[in-house]
C-alpha cells in the first residue's frame, strides 16, 4: 500500500545508493517487476553512481494526459510512478519496501515531461526525527538538495542528451507541497485502475 501510517509512505527501492545499474519498475510487465532499463537494445547504466537510494511510491502515477500549470511550463506527466530520492545513511536493498518521511519535492522536466522527484528520508534513519521539512535538510545534510538537483540535471548529458530543467524557479518545494503531489498522483492511479483514465500499454492489477 501507499501509506505506512503516522504520515509515512512506503517506498519501493529500485536503485540502491552508490550503484550504477538503471533498475526500474517495469510498468508494462505483468505484476510490475523491477528490471534493468533497456535503450536501443542495451541495458542502461548511469555514468557514475547515484549518491542516494532511488525508487518510487506504489499506487501513484503521473498521468500523461494531465497538463501541469505555468510553474512547470504546462508539462504533462511522464506516465510513471512518483519517483523518490531517499537521503538516509543506510543503503536500501533493491526491491525492499521502506517507510519514508516526505520532506520536499523537485519538479523536474525531462524531455518536456513532468517528472516529480520526491525527497524523503527513511523513517528509521538516526536523523529522521530531526528532519521534518525541506529546510531541515540543509541544516543536517548541507548541499544535499542542490546535489540532487544538479545530479538529475546533468546525468543524461554523457549520452548527448540535453540537460534537464526544473519548474518552480528550480526551488525544492516543502513537505506540504510534497504531500499534495503524493495525493494527486495517488488519485491519478486510482482513476487509472478504476478505468477512468486511458491505460495504454501499462499493466495494472
Amino acid at each position: 500500500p501507499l501509506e505506512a501510517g503516522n504520515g509515512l509512505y512506503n517506498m519501493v527501492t529500485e536503485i540502491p545508493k552508490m550503484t550504477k545499474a538503471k533498475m526500474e519498475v517495469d510498468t508494462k510487465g505483468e505484476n510490475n517487476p523491477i528490471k534493468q532499463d533497456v535503450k536501443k537494445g542495451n541495458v542502461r547504466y548511469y555514468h557514475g553512481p547515484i549518491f542516494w537510494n532511488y525508487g518510487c511510491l506504489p499506487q501513484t502515477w503521473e498521468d500523461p494526459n494531465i497538463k501541469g500549470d505555468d510553474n512547470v511550463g504546462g508539462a504533462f506527466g511522464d506516465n510513471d510512478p512518483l519517483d523518490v530520492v531517499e537521503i538516509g545513511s543506510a543503503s536500501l536493498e533493491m526491491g525492499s519496501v521502506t517507510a519514508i518521511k516526505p520532506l520536499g519535492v523537485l519538479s523536474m522536466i525531462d524531455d518536456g515531461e513532468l517528472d516529480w522527484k520526491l525527497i524523503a528520508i527513511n523513517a528509521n534513519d538516526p536523523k529522521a526525527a530531526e528532519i521534518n521539512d525541506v529546510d531541515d535538510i540543509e541544516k543536517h545534510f548541507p548541499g544535499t538538495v542542490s546535489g540532487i538537483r544538479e545530479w538529475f540535471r546533468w546525468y543524461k548529458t554523457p549520452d548527448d542528451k540535453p540537460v534537464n530543467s526544473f519548474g518552480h524557479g528550480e526551488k525544492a518545494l516543502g513537505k506540504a507541497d510534497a504531500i499534495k503531489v503524493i495525493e494527486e498522483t495517488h488519485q491519478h492511479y486510482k482513476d487509472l485502475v478504476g478505468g477512468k483514465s486511458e491505460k495504454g500499454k501499462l499493466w495494472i492489477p
Side-chain angles (χ1 to χ4, degrees):
L2 171 62
E3 295 188 25
N6 298 321
L8 306 176
Y9 297 89
N10 285 313
M11 166 189 174
V12 177
T13 296
E14 296 165 307
I15 306 172
K17 68 193 295 186
M18 302 312 293
T19 64
K20 294 199 290 187
K22 177 75 173 77
M23 310 299 294
E24 62 181 23
V25 168
D26 178 6
T27 57
K28 298 177 179 75
E30 187 174 354
N31 294 318
N32 304 134
I34 294 173
K35 66 182 200 182
Q36 194 160 0
D37 191 22
V38 175
K39 278 277 159 76
K40 296 179 180 171
N42 297 313
V43 291
R44 281 183 69 196
Y45 290 89
Y46 290 137
H47 290 275
I50 187 165
F51 306 119
W52 312 276
N53 295 296
Y54 189 65
C56 63
L57 292 186
Q59 300 182 349
T60 61
W61 180 52
E62 297 195 48
D63 189 339
N65 304 298
I66 292 183
K67 184 175 182 175
D69 62 18
D70 289 345
N71 286 311
V72 295
F76 290 81
D78 74 344
N79 201 30
D80 278 327
L82 178 59
D83 294 325
V84 186
V85 183
E86 191 281 318
I87 63 172
S89 55
S91 177
L92 302 176
E93 193 178 338
M94 187 192 310
S96 62
V97 178
T98 304
I100 53 100
K101 180 192 281 192
L103 303 171
V105 70
L106 284 163
S107 53
M108 187 174 98
I109 299 164
D110 178 357
D111 205 14
E113 295 179 333
L114 179 57
D115 185 5
W116 289 104
K117 302 296 181 194
L118 179 71
I119 304 171
I121 190 165
N122 181 347
N124 290 319
D125 190 88
K127 291 271 191 187
E130 301 171 60
I131 302 179
N132 296 299
D133 212 321
V134 73
D135 293 337
D136 296 332
I137 300 173
E138 197 59 29
K139 288 180 210 158
H140 295 277
F141 299 122
T144 295
V145 173
S146 60
I148 292 168
R149 184 170 48 234
E150 296 312 311
W151 196 93
F152 281 102
R153 188 195 305 280
W154 292 98
Y155 82 105
K156 287 186 175 179
T157 58
D159 296 319
D160 295 324
K161 295 276 183 72
V163 294
N164 290 322
S165 59
F166 294 86
H168 297 90
E170 306 207 336
K171 185 172 179 284
L173 305 178
K175 179 170 187 163
D177 285 305
I179 291 171
K180 271 189 215 162
V181 170
I182 294 169
E183 289 172 348
E184 278 177 16
T185 54
H186 182 48
Q187 185 59 51
H188 295 164
Y189 172 83
K190 288 197 287 190
D191 289 345
L192 175 68
V193 174
K196 293 181 187 172
S197 301
E198 179 55 51
K199 73 172 187 175
K201 294 180 180 176
L202 298 175
W203 184 90
I204 55 175

